Every structure is written in structure tokens, then in C-alpha cells.
Amino acid sequence: MASAAPGLDLAAAAAEDPPRQAPRPVTTDESLSDHPIAPDQFDPRLETDKFEIWSYYLYYVGNNGLTLFNFAPTAFQNLLYQAAGDGTSLRFAGRERTINSIVLLSNGISFAIQIVIFLILGSFADFGTWRPNILIALSILAWGIGFGWLGIHEPSKWQIATGMYIVGLIAYQTCLTFWTAAFPGLARNTAYMREKAQAYEAGEIPRSEYDKADMFKRAELSNIAFYVQSVGEIGILAIIVGIMFGVKVNDSVENNNWGLSVLIAFATGCWMLLAIPWFLKEKRRPGEAVPAGMNIVSAGIWQLYRALRQIWKLKQSLIYLIGYFLLGDSLNTTVTVIATLQNSIIAYNTLELTYLLIVGIAAQAVGIYGFWWVQQRYSLSSKTMFNIVAINIVILDLWGMVGIWTQKFGFHNVWEVWVYQAFYGLLVCPWYSYSQIMISEVTPRGREFLFFSLFSIIGKTSSFIGPLVSSAIIDATPSGNTSTPFYFLAALSAVSCVVCIFGVDLEKSRKEQEDFLLKEQAIKDDLAGVGFSSREDVVATSGKDTIDTKL
């Protein structure tokens, strides 16, 4: 992530933190639960305050997805259907394809491009202080695409709409990721965590209590951000309803087309205004220093290579990585398939789509707050909350699979899309918070940059495989049944659910992490005994292969 965890890099720690007494070396008969190897460091100048936290929340209220993730896909698919006229297909990417196939293929192309972007730009989020600048630049790109939809509301421009959709989705997803990159730094620089760290270092609390406080603080920021975003989005949608009546979207197809473009532009304007406080209030917490002999890009790729090498030593982390990949792939594709079915059912009626979104977002607000309340009230682990969400994803795919055999049920009726919005908001949307919290549960303290980078790239990879497979399934189906991908999705969800629920053991993971960090501390002590003053010295003297082997 963007904010360096002290102890991760000797040079980074020296650059980031004020002078302090070095922690006492841990002997072989001592436990990490008594003496932290990589305690959090605190610079008073970088302590998180309530204004910074609320500006962080406000950015998410603006980047709520209404622009390039909700209304833009609807506008895109709407223009495709109108361009096809009485037919059901258009020529795209060298052959005739159904509308749903074009949408899924465009999604796959978009996510595939994101992999390349994250491999390159991801390094900026992990090193130095470049992440805020990247977020600003990506946000400006997204705003340009959002306002650009004002000129794309005619069927003849469906090819341009395709490009706008693909680039817009890339901009939205990258903005969201680089915004999320600030989340661990915010949580671990609060006054609350500073007090916990001081108590831990003084031996007043055990490691388990410190880790629990850390987990709950990160869970609090993640869940409250999601909740505030949901409530704020409802307010924006309420204004949008008024705009819909103002442009008379129900009077004609042309008015409906124009209304979609106006909605995207209006939501983009809200995003732009709500992003400004975060750009001004975010404290630029330094990341890692670029190792000697590397540039910012090669360091990012090297970081991914290190993560791939080291995760094999953490079996529970690897199991969750597999489950996260499979379940994320299933959910991303499920949402896309259901969205295409929903748009067809309501005939792209902009006003009805807005009402559906209001129901879905209201349910989302209740769902995320409910999950967080239950977790606090009963002191449940993040794994338990994650398991509940995983089971609900399987139920969602089984619901869709029934629609392959009958038109009475399985996302074929108007009433179903209303029930879906409520079900998805209440019981599935918490995935977007708890999947991220779970990543931190299986990540060794002090190695957040490596593992969050890896999970981010794996998450983007999973986002394009499913849409491509689903598109191929639809194209290969003689009847063109758009529900057939649910065969694949239901099976994928079930397998990934089993992997996550029964394969991931957080107690074993903590032991693996402790063993990993003990061995790493021994290596650092050995390097310190040799007389290296910083990691750059080690790299310069021994070369990258040596440091890879030791660290």
C-alpha cells in the first residue's frame, strides 16, 4: 500500500521516522507476542486527524461508481441495442457478436489493460510519495470521460461509446484502488493506535491485543467509509431523480438517451467537488525508498517478484490468495451478467434504473453497518464475517442458474431485480470491505506493501478472466441464452467458498507469520552484525540476488 509500515525497509524507516530507541533483539526463547519485531512508528506530523479521515470518506462518496461503473455501462449497452435495431448482434472485434457478448468482452479488455497499468503505476504507490499525484491525475482522466458522455447519446456513436466505456472503467477502478491505498496508513497513524503501540512496547498489553486493536481499527475505517459512501450516494440519487423529471426521460427514446448522459455528467461533477478536500488534506506519508540500482518501475516489478517468492512460505496466505482470486472472479462476473439481464428487463428506463439503485444503495448502507455492528457487538473475527458473505455469493449464482431452465425465476422478472438489489446490498456488498480486511489478516506485519500489491494485481486479473469465459459461453450457446454463464459461475463460487471457509485457518496463519518474522529478524540481526547501515548498502555490496535470498 502507499504508506510504509516501519520495519519493512531499513532505509525507508530511517527516512520516515524520527529517531527513537531501537527495539531490543528477540532471543530464541521469546515470542513475538511479547516483543514486537516491527512495531508501528509514529511521527506527530503525520498523525491522522478527523478532518483527514472525513475528507477520505468524502472522496469515496464522490467516487461512488454512479458515473463510470453504473450509468456509463447502461448508456453503453443502451446504444448497442439501438444500433443493432431489429437484430441481436453487431460486428465487433472481427466478428458478429451478441450485445451481451460485446459488453462482457469489453469488460475483459478493460480489466486486462488494468493488469499492465497496475504493474507499472503500482510501484509509485509503494515507493516515495507519488501515490497522491497519481490519484489526482487518474481522477482528472475519469472526470474528462464522465463529462465526455454529454457528447455520446446517439446509436451511431456506439463504437466511440465502446472506447469511452473501456477507458472509463479503467479510470474508475484505478482511482478506487489508489484511494484505498491510503487506508492502512490512516488507521495505523491514529492517536488510538499510537497509544496501543506505546502500551505494547511497554509490555502492558500482549501482541494479540495489539493485533486485535489494529484489526478493528482498520475494519472500522473500511466499513465506515463504505457506510458513509452509501448514505451520501442516496442523497446524490435523490437529486438525480429530480433531474430525470426535468429532462423528461420517459417522453421519448432520445430523451432517455440524453438523460443517461446528463446523469453521468452530474455525478462526475459531484465526484470532482467531493474529491478536493482529500487532495488538500491528505498527509503525504512516505513509502519505501527505491533500492539502489533500480528505478521506480523496476522496483515495483521487483517487489511483485519478491512477493511471489515469499508467499510460498506462508501457506495460509497462499490459500486465501487462491480463494480471493476465484471468489472475486465469480462475483465480478456475476454482477456484470446480472446487470446485463437487469438492463434488458427494465428496457433501459433511466428513471426505473435510478429507483433500483436507490434501493440497492440503501440496502448496502444497512448491510455494511449491520455487518460492522454485529462484528463489534459479538466480537467476531473478520473471517467469520467474510464466510457469511462468501455463502451469500453462492446463493446469488444458484438463483441465476435456475433461470437457465425456466423463465419464471432466475433474473427474468421485474420483481426479481428489485429483490436482487436488496439482497445484494444487504448480504453481498460487505465483500468489498471484508475481503480487503482479510488480506491484512494473512499479511505479516511489516510486509503490507508486498502482499497488498500482489493481492491487488491478482484481484484485477480475476476481474477479466470470468467475463471472457462468460462471453465465450454465450457465444457458444446455440440458443444465445444469456443465463448460461451461471453454470460456470455457480460452480466457481461453490469451489472458492469451500477453499475460503475450510482452507483458511487464521490461527495457523498467525503462527506462520510469526515464524516468518522471527527468521527475518535473525537475518536482519546478521546483516547488522556485518556492519551494513542500510538496505541500500546491502544491495550495493551484494547485488539484488543476495538481498532476494535473505529477505
Side-chain angles (χ1 to χ4, degrees):
M1 307 303 279
S3 175
L8 176 62
D9 184 284
L10 296 174
E16 177 179 349
D17 302 309
R20 56 180 290 162
Q21 183 177 356
R24 182 173 61 82
V26 180
T27 61
T28 56
D29 61 344
E30 292 176 332
S31 170
L32 282 173
S33 61
D34 298 319
H35 300 286
I37 294 246
D40 291 309
Q41 310 279 310
F42 291 89
D43 184 339
R45 297 168 300 175
L46 302 178
E47 187 163 290
T48 305
D49 57 42
K50 64 179 180 180
F51 299 105
E52 187 180 14
I53 290 177
W54 274 98
S55 66
Y56 178 76
Y57 294 161
L58 286 177
Y59 183 92
Y60 197 22
V61 174
N63 188 11
N64 51 48
L66 290 177
T67 53
L68 306 177
F69 191 72
N70 292 116
F71 287 124
T74 301
F76 166 52
Q77 192 175 347
N78 179 43
L79 294 181
L80 289 180
Y81 271 99
Q82 291 179 32
D86 296 332
T88 59
S89 65
L90 290 168
R91 188 165 186 80
F92 179 73
R95 56 169 290 189
E96 287 290 320
R97 301 178 187 274
T98 65
I99 303 306
N100 287 334
S101 176
I102 292 174
V103 173
L104 290 170
L105 185 57
S106 297
N107 262 5
I109 293 171
S110 173
F111 285 119
I113 294 173
Q114 286 180 52
I115 303 302
V116 179
I117 291 175
F118 275 99
L119 281 173
I120 297 174
L121 292 184
S123 60
F124 285 85
D126 289 326
F127 295 94
T129 58
W130 280 92
R131 183 186 50 76
N133 296 334
I134 294 178
L135 180 60
I136 292 172
L138 290 172
S139 297
I140 292 173
L141 173 62
W143 300 337
I145 295 292
F147 289 124
W149 274 99
L150 287 172
I152 311 296
H153 50 87
E154 299 170 352
S156 62
K157 297 181 179 179
W158 71 269
Q159 295 97 332
I160 300 175
T162 302
M164 295 273 285
Y165 170 71
I166 291 173
V167 176
L169 192 57
I170 293 170
Y172 164 74
Q173 294 286 0
T174 50
C175 282
L176 191 60
T177 297
F178 284 109
W179 168 81
T180 306
F183 139 67
L186 284 176
R188 286 172 173 159
N189 279 277
T190 56
Y192 172 76
M193 287 308 301
R194 172 173 49 79
E195 293 168 0
K196 287 292 183 181
Q198 290 170 346
Y200 174 37
E201 292 176 346
E204 297 172 2
I205 61 174
R207 178 62 177 266
S208 59
E209 184 175 337
Y210 181 81
D211 287 342
K212 184 176 180 179
D214 180 40
M215 179 197 72
F216 272 96
K217 195 62 182 177
R218 284 179 282 115
E220 176 188 338
L221 274 176
S222 180
N223 287 322
I224 297 302
F226 199 4
Y227 172 74
V228 171
Q229 181 263 344
S230 301
V231 174
E233 190 173 352
I234 293 173
I236 293 174
L237 285 169
I239 298 174
I240 284 175
V241 171
I243 294 175
M244 292 299 93
F245 283 108
V247 298
K248 301 178 180 179
V249 294
N250 288 331
D251 285 3
S252 66
V253 171
E254 291 74 17
N255 280 16
N256 187 67
N257 293 352
W258 173 242
L260 280 169
S261 294
V262 170
L263 291 191
I264 297 170
F266 170 74
T268 298
C270 293
W271 179 3
M272 185 170 63
L273 290 176
L274 292 170
I276 293 174
W278 175 239
F279 294 160
L280 296 176
K281 295 297 296 182
E282 181 183 10
K283 296 174 182 176
R284 294 181 174 245
R285 299 177 178 89
E288 292 187 71
V290 177
M294 295 187 185
N295 57 44
I296 200 78
V297 176
S298 62
I301 297 175
W302 179 54
Q303 176 170 299
L304 175 61
Y305 163 72
R306 289 166 58 200
L308 289 171
R309 284 193 58 178
Q310 296 189 40
I311 198 170
W312 298 102
K313 301 176 183 178
L314 300 163
K315 294 180 180 179
Q316 295 302 314
S317 302
L318 182 60
I319 292 172
Y320 178 66
L321 178 65
I322 295 171
Y324 176 79
F325 173 85
L326 296 175
L327 197 56
D329 192 21
S330 173
L331 180 57
N332 288 329
T333 310
T334 296
V335 170
T336 300
V337 172
I338 294 176
T340 60
L341 295 171
Q342 174 181 276
N343 289 336
S344 299
I345 292 170
I346 66 173
Y348 306 98
N349 184 286
T350 307
L351 191 57
E352 189 166 1
L353 175 65
T354 304
Y355 289 146
L356 282 168
L357 280 173
I358 291 175
V359 171
I361 300 304
Q364 174 180 291
V366 174
I368 194 64
Y369 190 84
F371 267 68
W372 171 233
W373 183 86
V374 168
Q375 183 180 9
Q376 281 188 304
R377 175 67 175 79
Y378 298 101
S379 194
L380 300 176
S381 69
S382 294
K383 171 75 182 325
T384 299
M385 309 309 294
F386 178 85
N387 290 346
I388 295 172
V389 176
I391 293 172
N392 290 325
I393 293 174
V394 176
I395 293 173
L396 192 62
D397 284 318
L398 291 175
W399 179 1
M401 191 168 71
V402 174
I404 299 174
W405 311 306
T406 177
Q407 293 293 311
K408 295 181 179 179
F409 188 77
F411 302 114
H412 296 302
N413 307 287
V414 173
W415 67 266
E416 284 187 280
V417 299
W418 289 93
V419 174
Y420 159 70
Q421 290 291 342
F423 180 87
Y424 179 73
L426 287 170
L427 301 173
V428 178
C429 277
W431 154 271
Y432 299 104
S433 178
Y434 282 99
S435 64
Q436 298 299 306
I437 297 169
M438 276 292 292
I439 293 174
S440 64
E441 290 285 349
V442 298
T443 298
R445 177 171 294 277
R447 288 298 188 189
E448 287 81 10
F449 289 107
L450 292 174
F451 287 84
F452 272 93
S453 175
L454 175 61
F455 274 89
S456 177
I457 293 171
I458 289 298
K460 297 307 172 187
T461 303
S462 72
S463 297
F464 81 85
I465 293 178
L468 291 177
V469 172
S470 297
S471 175
I473 291 174
I474 292 174
D475 289 339
T477 304
S479 64
N481 188 336
T482 54
S483 294
T484 50
F486 283 110
Y487 277 128
F488 162 68
L489 295 173
L492 184 61
S493 293
V495 170
S496 55
C497 184
V498 170
V499 170
C500 290
I501 292 177
F502 299 104
V504 179
D505 187 324
L506 293 184
E507 288 300 321
K508 289 183 179 179
S509 179
R510 292 187 186 102
K511 182 63 170 63
E512 289 176 354
Q513 293 171 44
E514 182 170 320
D515 291 342
F516 177 84
L517 290 174
L518 280 170
K519 292 176 182 177
E520 183 175 89
Q521 182 62 33
I523 293 171
K524 289 180 179 179
D525 290 342
D526 180 58
L527 291 175
V530 173
F532 293 113
S533 60
S534 70
R535 189 159 177 222
E536 280 84 346
D537 292 334
V538 178
V539 174
T541 303
S542 305
K544 293 187 286 293
D545 291 339
T546 300
I547 201 68
D548 273 344
T549 302
K550 292 192 173 184
L551 295 181

